[in-house]
């Protein structure tokens, strides 16, 4: 597959496209096609942690006077399914996903 348009949207070039293919492969597709690369579940686990850490650091530095509770609410509003879905749509990510029946 040609992922140049996605890399352009991401503003990132993958040296090893196997990581990109793995990230785009849902477990339903992997199970149906017996893909040796597996699914994106492990990368999703790692990505969730990275996203939480990076957004926490950003908010911590941007709002030095906010208490923990307010920072937590802000982070939750940023790192939530609707917000991430909007980001995925903006990147045209949906058309690249490998999903089973």
């Amino acid at each position: 597959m040609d992922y140049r348009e996605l890399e352009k949207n991401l503003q990132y070039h993958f040296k090893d496209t196997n990581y990109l293919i793995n990230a785009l492969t849902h477990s339903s597709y992997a199970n149906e096609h017996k893909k040796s690369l597996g699914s994106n579940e492990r990368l999703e686990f790692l990505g969730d942690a990275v996203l939480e850490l990076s957004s926490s650091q950003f908010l911590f530095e941007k709002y030095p006077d906010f208490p923990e509770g307010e920072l937590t609410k802000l982070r939750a509003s940023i790192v939530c399914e609707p917000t991430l879905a909007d980001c995925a749509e903006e990147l045209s990510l949906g058309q690249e996903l490998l999903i089973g029946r």
Side-chain angles (χ1 to χ4, degrees):
M1 290 191 174
D2 185 1
Y3 293 107
R4 285 179 284 189
E5 188 66 27
L6 180 56
E7 287 181 322
K8 181 180 166 190
N9 289 344
L10 293 170
Q11 298 179 13
Y12 183 84
H13 174 71
F14 288 83
K15 294 175 188 158
D16 183 350
T17 56
N18 286 327
Y19 286 115
L20 176 58
I21 294 166
N22 190 213
L24 295 171
T25 303
H26 189 267
S27 59
S28 61
Y29 184 92
N31 289 334
E32 287 176 12
H33 294 84
K34 308 295 184 223
K35 287 189 55 77
S36 61
L37 290 175
S39 72
N40 60 7
E41 290 174 344
R42 285 178 50 84
L43 288 174
E44 182 180 357
F45 167 79
L46 181 61
D48 287 346
V50 169
L51 187 56
E52 186 166 321
L53 176 61
S54 60
S55 60
S56 296
Q57 180 180 1
F58 171 79
L59 294 171
F60 185 84
E61 292 172 357
K62 181 153 178 80
Y63 302 105
D65 297 328
F66 278 31
E68 179 270 338
E70 288 299 313
L71 293 171
T72 299
K73 288 178 193 174
L74 267 175
R75 183 183 63 209
S77 71
I78 294 169
V79 184
C80 65
E81 192 171 319
T83 302
L84 297 176
D86 288 344
C87 293
E89 187 175 330
E90 193 173 304
L91 295 168
S92 301
L93 200 55
Q95 64 193 28
E96 303 294 344
L97 294 176
L98 301 172
I99 300 175
R101 289 181 250 179

